Amino acid sequence: MPGVVKSPTARAALMVLGWIFVGLAFIGIVVPGIPTTGPVLLAAFLFSKSSERFDLWIVNHRLFGPIVRDWRAGLGFTRRLKTIAVVAIVLTFTLTLTFAITGTVARILMIALALGIITYILRLPTKTAEAGEAGVGVLSTEY
């Protein structure tokens, strides 16, 4: 696989990180409020750099495969998934700002980070619901 790193140590580290993110993705399936898409995409990226076998596994996985294939094809996410992501970001950052961060500069940086992530998510292509269900994406210019 052309994207796999050459160093065995780096490959092993990337693979371990990939499996950690797969674990987080499985937790996100059953625990409300914990995201699934982000960890799946991170795991797919890490596997693409560390193991052709595990890259193929995640691409062909019954639950995770459609997310990875759509992302790699540049098809974006459904409006529902974008909404869930934005709500999760707002809730988690609000809780963090309310209970964990007291410094003004740190709060400003956290707000800027949240706005940057939300902007990035909203600028991604939006798939129609039918395309998401069929596994084939139809791009929309709506953000």
Side-chain angles (χ1 to χ4, degrees):
M1 185 171 195
V4 175
V5 297
K6 302 222 182 289
S7 165
T9 305
R11 272 198 322 271
L14 293 171
M15 193 179 313
V16 167
L17 285 171
W19 283 111
I20 289 170
F21 283 109
V22 167
L24 290 173
F26 274 113
I27 292 169
I29 290 172
V30 294
V31 178
I34 296 181
T36 302
T37 303
V40 166
L41 294 176
L42 283 169
F45 170 76
L46 293 165
F47 288 155
S48 76
K49 299 297 179 191
S50 63
S51 168
E52 184 174 357
R53 174 182 171 198
F54 294 124
D55 185 52
L56 289 172
W57 173 81
I58 201 162
V59 167
N60 294 310
H61 191 273
R62 181 177 62 86
L63 299 173
F64 303 146
I67 296 168
V68 175
R69 289 189 302 269
D70 287 349
W71 178 260
R72 288 183 180 176
L75 301 177
F77 300 118
T78 61
R79 186 178 315 268
R80 178 182 175 275
L81 188 55
K82 284 184 175 187
T83 302
I84 291 169
V86 170
V87 168
I89 291 166
V90 169
L91 288 175
T92 56
F93 275 75
T94 299
L95 289 172
T96 302
L97 290 169
T98 303
F99 298 110
I101 299 193
T102 57
T104 304
V105 173
R107 284 183 173 196
I108 290 170
L109 291 173
M110 286 291 289
I111 291 168
L113 177 62
L115 291 173
I117 294 169
I118 289 170
T119 300
Y120 175 75
I121 290 169
L122 295 177
R123 293 190 57 143
L124 291 171
T126 302
K127 290 188 335 181
T128 60
E130 304 84 42
E133 293 165 5
V136 177
V138 175
L139 290 178
S140 168
T141 56
E142 296 178 42
Y143 290 127

